[in-house]
Amino acid sequence: MTKCSIVIDLGFGDAGKGLTTDYLASQNSKESLVVRFSGGHQIGHTVSTETLTHTFSNFGSGTLLGVPTYYSELTTLFPPAILDEGEFLQKYHPKLYFHPLAMITTFYDIAFNRAVEKQQNNGSCGLGFGTTIARNKEEVYLYANDLQFHWVLKQRLISIKNYYETKLKTEPKSVQEYYKNELKDYNEAYFIESCFSIQKFYNLNALSDLATSFKNFIFEGSQGVLLDTQHGFYPHTTWSYTTSKNAIQLIKTHLGVDAEIAIFYVTRCYQTRHGNGPMANTEPVSLQNNEDEANVTNEFQGVFRTQALDTQLLNYALSVDAIHHQNLKLKKNLMVTCIDQLPSFSTKNLLQKLDVKFNMVYESYGPKRECITQTSSK
């Protein structure tokens, strides 16, 4: 039977989706495929082994185990970054599959994103994800399928350049100047070259094409439920469904209604938020063993913040995710990470305050999968 595991962050992101995905991949690496069903190249999922700590953006968090990654039509790709990360990971033989309609981000998308973010300060990470989605909604496209065709690619880039030049006419002069400054060193030949150079890393496939090639599908989520375009808090939201909504639709459409589905909800033992936007007004936390924190202040995203968990927010995230589970039988698991950073935290006390009864509960005391232990269920 096909097994599907969906990894969902219950907060504002940065809870440990990479660690969880790597752990799930380690259970059956030879028959597993990591599936990216939301977000895109803007994510940063950190995985640690004895010899390497790496933050994945363009490859799935099972890559160090030899597990390939599938990007659905609901995600974005940035070829220059794929090329750089793929070359860095070369000894692990990184492998990607792209849906032909996966959306391609360009330097124009990034420049416009950054120019507008400087005005709005909504907490964007400045990598062009939201602007790529918005451009596609306005029917100005560049797809993974287009990357094979040199003339087509050049014409698509001209269309995108014209699209943003038109949009800029209604923007303040400060946005126009910032946009132009971002592109002053833009090398279109390099971008096009990277589009062809990454062909060694990927194949074009629909997910249904791969349904019989793998037995274990790990759906690696992006960001967190509290940033979801439907259920987050505007304007500090992402342009993506970060609940299990997309993953479940992909499973139903491509892998069959009989697939065995398990959701792995992830939260740190404290609340986190990277960038602007509201956080629950809980008490401050005093952390230890967090010297290797991967989240640092970002020019566009802002400061990484921490507070104590708010169980009301966790219950809210669980409730909105459950909206997308109607008529489905699935197992719900909880992964609590960074336990070693907050000695006063009690998983048992947390479980008593949550509205969901979990099939299994896991704790992570460190950044490596070897530190994950199974504890009692509620």
Side-chain angles (χ1 to χ4, degrees):
M1 175 181 289
T2 299
K3 293 185 177 181
C4 299
S5 302
I6 307 174
V7 180
I8 298 293
D9 187 317
L10 287 175
F12 296 103
D14 305 305
K17 295 181 293 296
L19 170 71
T20 305
T21 300
D22 175 67
Y23 170 74
L24 293 172
S26 72
Q27 306 304 294
N28 185 9
S29 61
K30 292 183 178 180
E31 297 181 313
S32 293
L33 176 70
V34 168
V35 179
R36 296 293 313 282
F37 63 92
S38 65
H41 65 286
Q42 90 285 22
I43 68 139
H45 292 177
T46 302
V47 172
S48 293
T49 68
E50 294 294 337
T51 58
L52 176 68
T53 293
H54 180 70
T55 299
F56 289 98
S57 293
N58 308 281
F59 293 80
S61 296
T63 300
L64 300 183
L65 295 164
V67 176
T69 307
Y70 178 81
Y71 273 82
S72 75
E73 65 272 34
L74 306 168
T75 59
T76 63
L77 306 161
F78 184 51
I82 293 172
L83 182 60
D84 288 345
E85 189 172 357
E87 296 286 3
F88 177 79
L89 296 169
Q90 197 164 19
K91 74 175 184 178
Y92 298 98
H93 307 290
K95 177 65 179 176
L96 297 169
Y97 297 96
F98 299 157
H99 189 284
L101 298 183
M103 297 167 280
I104 304 300
T105 292
T106 70
F107 283 105
Y108 299 114
D109 301 299
I110 295 172
F112 191 76
N113 174 198
R114 293 180 175 183
V116 172
E117 179 60 21
K118 280 294 183 180
Q119 293 283 120
Q120 297 178 342
N121 295 314
N122 286 337
S124 168
C125 57
L127 294 176
F129 170 72
T131 45
T132 302
I133 302 296
R135 169 172 57 76
N136 276 265
K137 286 182 180 293
E138 295 191 38
E139 300 183 341
V140 182
Y141 301 115
L142 177 58
Y143 290 133
N145 186 71
D146 303 334
L147 301 183
Q148 310 169 81
F149 306 98
H150 191 275
W151 188 88
V152 171
L153 178 55
K154 291 195 71 170
Q155 296 307 307
R156 293 285 213 185
L157 289 172
I158 291 171
S159 298
I160 293 169
K161 179 183 179 181
N162 293 338
Y163 164 79
Y164 282 115
E165 288 180 350
T166 300
K167 286 183 71 69
L168 281 168
K169 292 177 181 178
T170 59
E171 294 291 339
K173 190 170 183 179
S174 59
V175 172
Q176 296 177 25
E177 291 176 348
Y178 198 98
Y179 176 84
K180 292 176 182 177
N181 187 60
E182 278 289 307
L183 289 174
K184 71 180 188 301
D185 297 322
Y186 170 50
N187 185 335
E188 183 170 288
Y190 168 71
F191 180 82
I192 292 174
E193 180 185 348
S194 71
C195 291
F196 286 94
S197 296
I198 65 171
Q199 289 182 0
K200 60 188 175 185
F201 295 122
Y202 76 88
N203 289 340
L204 294 173
N205 294 95
L207 186 57
S208 54
D209 297 339
L210 306 173
T212 58
S213 299
F214 302 93
K215 293 183 178 179
N216 186 32
F217 294 81
I218 305 167
F219 289 77
E220 181 177 11
S222 64
Q223 300 166 292
V225 171
L226 300 182
L227 294 175
D228 182 82
T229 191
Q230 282 185 295
H231 305 296
F233 312 104
Y234 181 83
H236 307 286
T237 53
T238 186
W239 286 71
S240 187
Y241 297 120
T242 56
T243 63
S244 58
K245 177 179 179 177
N246 285 350
I248 288 172
Q249 186 58 52
L250 288 169
I251 292 168
K252 287 181 175 180
T253 303
H254 299 287
L255 302 179
V257 294
D258 295 328
E260 180 181 301
I261 304 174
I263 299 184
F264 288 78
Y265 292 112
V266 189
T267 178
R268 291 201 196 194
C269 62
Y270 52 91
Q271 186 182 183
T272 67
R273 178 140 203 177
H274 199 171
N276 296 330
M279 288 180 73
N281 189 25
T282 54
E283 63 272 17
V285 290
S286 181
L287 304 177
Q288 63 184 42
N289 302 319
N290 65 330
E291 298 83 2
D292 296 324
E293 175 59 60
N295 293 280
V296 296
T297 299
N298 175 283
E299 178 185 357
F300 300 96
Q301 198 169 11
V303 177
F304 184 65
R305 296 174 284 158
T306 60
Q307 295 280 137
L309 278 179
D310 185 325
T311 52
Q312 184 180 32
L313 272 184
L314 291 175
N315 281 324
Y316 169 74
L318 289 165
S319 71
V320 298
D321 197 56
I323 294 170
H324 307 292
H325 303 162
Q326 295 181 23
N327 302 318
L328 279 179
K329 292 182 180 180
L330 45 80
K331 295 179 179 179
K332 297 184 178 182
N333 308 284
L334 181 67
M335 175 75 77
V336 184
T337 65
C338 302
I339 297 284
D340 57 321
Q341 295 183 13
L342 192 60
S344 62
F345 180 81
S346 168
T347 300
K348 182 178 179 180
N349 290 343
L350 172 65
L351 293 174
Q352 293 173 350
K353 298 175 183 178
L354 296 180
D355 296 335
V356 171
K357 182 177 181 180
F358 293 100
N359 181 62
M360 302 293 290
V361 179
Y362 301 83
E363 294 179 332
S364 170
Y365 291 85
K368 300 175 184 177
R369 80 179 79 94
E370 291 82 358
C371 298
I372 295 175
T373 58
Q374 176 185 326
T375 66
S376 60
S377 58
K378 184 178 176 184

